[in-house]
Amino acid sequence: MRGPAESVGPRRPSEAEEVGPAVVMGFSIALIVFSLLLMLLVLMHKGKGGGLSDMFGGGMQSSVGGSSVAERNLDRITVVVGLLWFACIVVLGLLVKVG
């Protein structure tokens, strides 16, 4: 006699198992892209001695009004990309742990 926990026939994969590898691959690719973009953005920031932002006109005197706006926008973009990078890591960790 079979109990209610036993199934008849082959087990059908759930919807989460069917999309799992594709979702993990997508988040892995997104993590690589965000990592490279974040690395580039961090290198573009102006440090004490100037950074790669000097190559794009950030090395001019700070009295120029456009330079500070560019730095603020670069800061905002870096923070957004950093948050997306962190979210990808958390989602990938959860997917690997569950799947």
Side-chain angles (χ1 to χ4, degrees), residues 7 13 17 30 38 44 47 75 80 88-89 93:
S7 63
E17 291 173 337
L38 191 62
M44 286 178 63
D75 289 342
V80 168
C88 279
I89 288 180

PDB file of all heavy atoms in Angstrom, residues 7 13 17 30 38 44 47 75 80 88-89 93:
ATOM      1  N   SER A   7       4.893   9.002  -4.889  1.00  0.00           N
ATOM      2  CA  SER A   7       4.250   9.385  -6.142  1.00  0.00           C
ATOM      3  C   SER A   7       4.302   8.217  -7.113  1.00  0.00           C
ATOM      4  O   SER A   7       5.148   7.342  -7.030  1.00  0.00           O
ATOM      5  CB  SER A   7       4.924  10.610  -6.753  1.00  0.00           C
ATOM      6  OG  SER A   7       6.256  10.283  -7.078  1.00  0.00           O
ATOM      7  N   PRO A  13      10.109  17.646 -12.491  1.00  0.00           N
ATOM      8  CA  PRO A  13      10.846  18.737 -11.835  1.00  0.00           C
ATOM      9  C   PRO A  13       9.954  19.949 -11.617  1.00  0.00           C
ATOM     10  O   PRO A  13       9.091  20.261 -12.423  1.00  0.00           O
ATOM     11  CB  PRO A  13      11.978  19.055 -12.808  1.00  0.00           C
ATOM     12  CG  PRO A  13      11.618  18.419 -14.095  1.00  0.00           C
ATOM     13  CD  PRO A  13      10.604  17.353 -13.815  1.00  0.00           C
ATOM     14  N   GLU A  17      13.331  24.331 -10.348  1.00  0.00           N
ATOM     15  CA  GLU A  17      14.437  23.519 -10.832  1.00  0.00           C
ATOM     16  C   GLU A  17      14.642  23.685 -12.333  1.00  0.00           C
ATOM     17  O   GLU A  17      15.760  23.569 -12.822  1.00  0.00           O
ATOM     18  CB  GLU A  17      14.187  22.051 -10.501  1.00  0.00           C
ATOM     19  CG  GLU A  17      14.253  21.734  -9.027  1.00  0.00           C
ATOM     20  CD  GLU A  17      13.844  20.313  -8.711  1.00  0.00           C
ATOM     21  OE1 GLU A  17      13.116  19.711  -9.511  1.00  0.00           O
ATOM     22  OE2 GLU A  17      14.249  19.829  -7.647  1.00  0.00           O
ATOM     23  N   ALA A  30      25.969  38.680 -15.181  1.00  0.00           N
ATOM     24  CA  ALA A  30      25.743  40.040 -14.671  1.00  0.00           C
ATOM     25  C   ALA A  30      26.788  40.402 -13.624  1.00  0.00           C
ATOM     26  O   ALA A  30      27.277  41.540 -13.591  1.00  0.00           O
ATOM     27  CB  ALA A  30      24.335  40.150 -14.085  1.00  0.00           C
ATOM     28  N   LEU A  38      32.541  48.117 -12.190  1.00  0.00           N
ATOM     29  CA  LEU A  38      32.876  48.716 -10.902  1.00  0.00           C
ATOM     30  C   LEU A  38      34.377  48.988 -10.802  1.00  0.00           C
ATOM     31  O   LEU A  38      34.792  50.035 -10.299  1.00  0.00           O
ATOM     32  CB  LEU A  38      32.420  47.795  -9.773  1.00  0.00           C
ATOM     33  CG  LEU A  38      32.442  48.349  -8.365  1.00  0.00           C
ATOM     34  CD1 LEU A  38      31.506  49.545  -8.248  1.00  0.00           C
ATOM     35  CD2 LEU A  38      32.031  47.280  -7.381  1.00  0.00           C
ATOM     36  N   MET A  44      38.495  55.384 -12.193  1.00  0.00           N
ATOM     37  CA  MET A  44      38.274  56.710 -12.759  1.00  0.00           C
ATOM     38  C   MET A  44      38.178  57.800 -11.697  1.00  0.00           C
ATOM     39  O   MET A  44      38.318  58.981 -12.006  1.00  0.00           O
ATOM     40  CB  MET A  44      37.004  56.714 -13.619  1.00  0.00           C
ATOM     41  CG  MET A  44      37.184  56.006 -14.945  1.00  0.00           C
ATOM     42  SD  MET A  44      35.693  55.970 -15.915  1.00  0.00           S
ATOM     43  CE  MET A  44      35.402  57.698 -16.203  1.00  0.00           C
ATOM     44  N   GLY A  47      41.896  60.555  -6.940  1.00  0.00           N
ATOM     45  CA  GLY A  47      42.493  60.319  -5.634  1.00  0.00           C
ATOM     46  C   GLY A  47      43.300  61.524  -5.202  1.00  0.00           C
ATOM     47  O   GLY A  47      43.152  62.625  -5.729  1.00  0.00           O
ATOM     48  N   ASP A  75      30.409  59.507  -8.664  1.00  0.00           N
ATOM     49  CA  ASP A  75      30.138  58.910  -7.352  1.00  0.00           C
ATOM     50  C   ASP A  75      28.792  58.194  -7.343  1.00  0.00           C
ATOM     51  O   ASP A  75      28.681  57.064  -6.849  1.00  0.00           O
ATOM     52  CB  ASP A  75      30.141  59.986  -6.261  1.00  0.00           C
ATOM     53  CG  ASP A  75      31.524  60.536  -5.981  1.00  0.00           C
ATOM     54  OD1 ASP A  75      32.517  59.873  -6.359  1.00  0.00           O
ATOM     55  OD2 ASP A  75      31.609  61.630  -5.404  1.00  0.00           O
ATOM     56  N   VAL A  80      25.556  53.092  -7.402  1.00  0.00           N
ATOM     57  CA  VAL A  80      24.484  52.272  -7.992  1.00  0.00           C
ATOM     58  C   VAL A  80      25.050  50.953  -8.511  1.00  0.00           C
ATOM     59  O   VAL A  80      24.488  49.877  -8.258  1.00  0.00           O
ATOM     60  CB  VAL A  80      23.761  53.052  -9.111  1.00  0.00           C
ATOM     61  CG1 VAL A  80      22.858  52.137  -9.911  1.00  0.00           C
ATOM     62  CG2 VAL A  80      22.960  54.200  -8.517  1.00  0.00           C
ATOM     63  N   CYS A  88      23.692  41.076  -6.817  1.00  0.00           N
ATOM     64  CA  CYS A  88      23.998  39.872  -7.599  1.00  0.00           C
ATOM     65  C   CYS A  88      24.682  38.817  -6.736  1.00  0.00           C
ATOM     66  O   CYS A  88      24.380  37.626  -6.850  1.00  0.00           O
ATOM     67  CB  CYS A  88      24.882  40.211  -8.790  1.00  0.00           C
ATOM     68  SG  CYS A  88      23.997  40.880 -10.181  1.00  0.00           S
ATOM     69  N   ILE A  89      25.588  39.246  -5.880  1.00  0.00           N
ATOM     70  CA  ILE A  89      26.286  38.295  -5.009  1.00  0.00           C
ATOM     71  C   ILE A  89      25.309  37.642  -4.038  1.00  0.00           C
ATOM     72  O   ILE A  89      25.345  36.427  -3.825  1.00  0.00           O
ATOM     73  CB  ILE A  89      27.434  38.997  -4.259  1.00  0.00           C
ATOM     74  CG1 ILE A  89      28.556  39.302  -5.225  1.00  0.00           C
ATOM     75  CG2 ILE A  89      27.949  38.141  -3.113  1.00  0.00           C
ATOM     76  CD1 ILE A  89      29.742  39.979  -4.623  1.00  0.00           C
ATOM     77  N   GLY A  93      24.323  33.706  -4.084  1.00  0.00           N
ATOM     78  CA  GLY A  93      24.525  32.909  -2.865  1.00  0.00           C
ATOM     79  C   GLY A  93      23.272  32.169  -2.465  1.00  0.00           C
ATOM     80  O   GLY A  93      23.323  30.986  -2.093  1.00  0.00           O
TER      81      GLY A  93
END
